[in-house]
Amino acid sequence: MTKRETDTLEAHFEQARATPPQMPAGMMDRLIADALAAQPAPAIGGWRGFWRAIGGAPALGGLITATAVGFWIGVAPPSGLPDVATQIITGGDDYIVADATSLDTYTSDLTAFGWDLDEG
Amino acid sequence: MRARLNGAPAKATSGLMNMQDTSDADTADDPERALLHRYVQGDAAAARLLTVQLTPRIFGHAFRILGNAAEAEDVTQDALMRLWKIAPDWRDGEAKVTTWLYRVTANLCTDRLRKRGRGVPLEDIAEPADPAESAEARLQRTAREDALQAALDTLPERQRQAVVLRHIDGLANPEIATILDVGVEAVESLTARGKRALAKLLGARRDALGYDDDKT
């Protein structure tokens, strides 16, 4: 290449570097929208993260209901189920108690405050 | 040292491609990487900033290679979407974000050029408005831009990519070697041959392009 050719070519390159091609109208906005749409959700830590992990208020309502029902079944089981609370307290492995009256004397305070035995 | 990156469209159809790491300095000087980390953490400002910083470079490269704004926009959009998808799995210590993106863009351009074949008419280059520029100067500048683009379009695609990356995008030869997946010597050869061909084409039109009117 001659110096003249080199200079001409470099002048072309310099102009190309100085004047980049103009982007179509709205292109940048479209690409930013793409970037935001594809972006992972921000990570949330602490109590907010825990709250979100368990599913928020709807999940908490269900959790409270399930806990209350479970607790009630535990302390006052329906007639078809063993009285687990009494077994645990008395250390017995047979839920059929021969002498309910004697049990009543020391388990009434602990098994649903005596309600289950009162009802039985 | 070789690094392995996902997501780049290959010259063939492989989903994986190997990229040579150019140097440790290459990874140290990568401001886009920090933004990409913030992007993954859900920082919307990082998403905007990365897009604003990367888009003009990628679009400019694609436009110079393809000579068509609509196709260049498609390629830019595709390349950036691939970056957003791979961002959560981005591994530090591998290629620079821009190097990876240029490589994806170069391969997307290659795919398009091969699909459409040669000889597609060039679109006029959109002109940035400059109120201080006279009508005559604007016409001359447009003529020169068109002449360069027309000359670039006559080059074989690898020469064109090497010349654009080196002399318009301003990248160093080792980075171009990574982008084009060739050795540095091959890059030097491609750019030298490309420049010779361009000089011949543009030199013949020197007078018509008004270069005798000024010092160049």
Side-chain angles (χ1 to χ4, degrees):
Chain A
M1 284 192 292
T2 65
K3 185 177 183 308
R4 196 178 185 206
E5 285 175 336
T6 305
D7 289 346
T8 303
L9 185 57
E10 187 47 47
H12 276 284
F13 287 148
E14 194 176 326
Q15 181 173 313
R17 287 192 293 268
T19 54
Q22 196 170 33
M23 291 185 285
M27 178 180 166
M28 189 63 84
D29 291 338
R30 289 191 289 275
L31 295 183
I32 288 173
D34 284 349
L36 292 171
Q39 189 170 28
I44 299 173
W47 281 107
R48 289 179 65 197
F50 174 74
W51 180 251
R52 187 170 174 167
I54 65 170
L60 190 67
L63 197 63
I64 290 170
T65 304
T67 304
V69 169
F71 177 76
W72 183 252
I73 289 174
V75 298
S79 57
L81 292 178
D83 187 351
V84 180
T86 302
Q87 290 180 61
I88 292 170
I89 293 162
T90 60
D93 54 5
D94 186 355
Y95 69 90
I96 301 171
V97 180
D99 187 359
T101 309
S102 61
L103 270 177
D104 188 29
T105 59
Y106 57 88
T107 61
S108 59
D109 290 340
L110 300 172
T111 56
F113 312 103
W115 297 340
D116 55 335
L117 296 177
D118 289 343
E119 286 169 3
Chain B
M1 175 179 159
R2 294 187 73 83
R4 197 169 172 84
L5 290 179
N6 290 309
K11 284 168 274 182
T13 55
S14 166
L16 291 173
M17 75 184 354
N18 292 320
M19 293 186 75
Q20 281 182 315
D21 224 2
T22 49
S23 69
D24 289 340
D26 207 32
T27 57
D29 182 22
D30 189 7
E32 285 81 12
R33 180 175 300 160
L35 283 174
L36 198 61
H37 280 300
R38 285 173 51 193
Y39 173 84
V40 171
Q41 289 162 0
D43 185 342
R48 290 190 186 89
L49 195 54
L50 262 180
T51 308
V52 168
Q53 285 184 358
L54 295 172
T55 298
R57 299 168 74 175
I58 298 308
F59 175 80
H61 177 79
F63 185 90
R64 295 292 179 195
I65 300 300
L66 298 169
N68 180 286
E71 281 193 290
E73 180 178 354
D74 288 346
V75 164
T76 305
Q77 185 177 26
D78 197 350
L80 285 173
M81 280 308 294
R82 288 168 193 248
L83 178 64
W84 307 142
K85 283 180 184 170
I86 202 177
D89 302 319
W90 191 268
R91 282 175 282 178
D92 289 342
E94 296 187 347
K96 285 170 66 177
V97 173
T98 48
T99 304
W100 184 90
L101 201 54
Y102 268 119
R103 180 164 183 169
V104 170
T105 306
N107 287 332
L108 287 170
C109 288
T110 299
D111 288 347
R112 286 196 174 243
L113 289 171
R114 287 178 184 173
K115 275 181 192 166
R116 78 185 187 190
R118 296 185 65 82
V120 172
L122 292 173
E123 179 184 277
D124 287 340
I125 295 177
E127 300 174 37
D130 182 359
E133 191 176 32
S134 70
E136 188 182 356
R138 188 162 58 247
L139 281 173
Q140 190 174 68
R141 179 174 55 77
T142 304
R144 290 175 179 180
E145 286 173 351
D146 289 348
L148 175 62
Q149 188 62 53
L152 281 171
D153 193 55
T154 65
L155 298 181
E157 65 185 49
R158 301 291 276 177
Q159 284 184 30
R160 193 185 324 172
Q161 287 176 325
V163 167
V164 170
L165 287 166
R166 181 75 185 91
H167 294 285
I168 298 179
D169 296 325
L171 304 186
N173 283 346
E175 189 170 8
I176 298 171
T178 304
I179 292 165
L180 298 182
D181 199 20
V182 295
V184 174
E185 287 181 4
V187 172
E188 290 167 355
S189 171
L190 286 168
T191 51
R193 282 183 284 152
K195 279 178 72 177
R196 273 200 299 275
L198 288 178
K200 202 169 184 178
L201 286 164
L202 296 170
R205 299 185 58 192
R206 181 183 164 89
D207 294 343
L209 294 171
Y211 279 106
D212 281 345
D213 294 341
D214 50 39
K215 289 181 180 178
T216 55

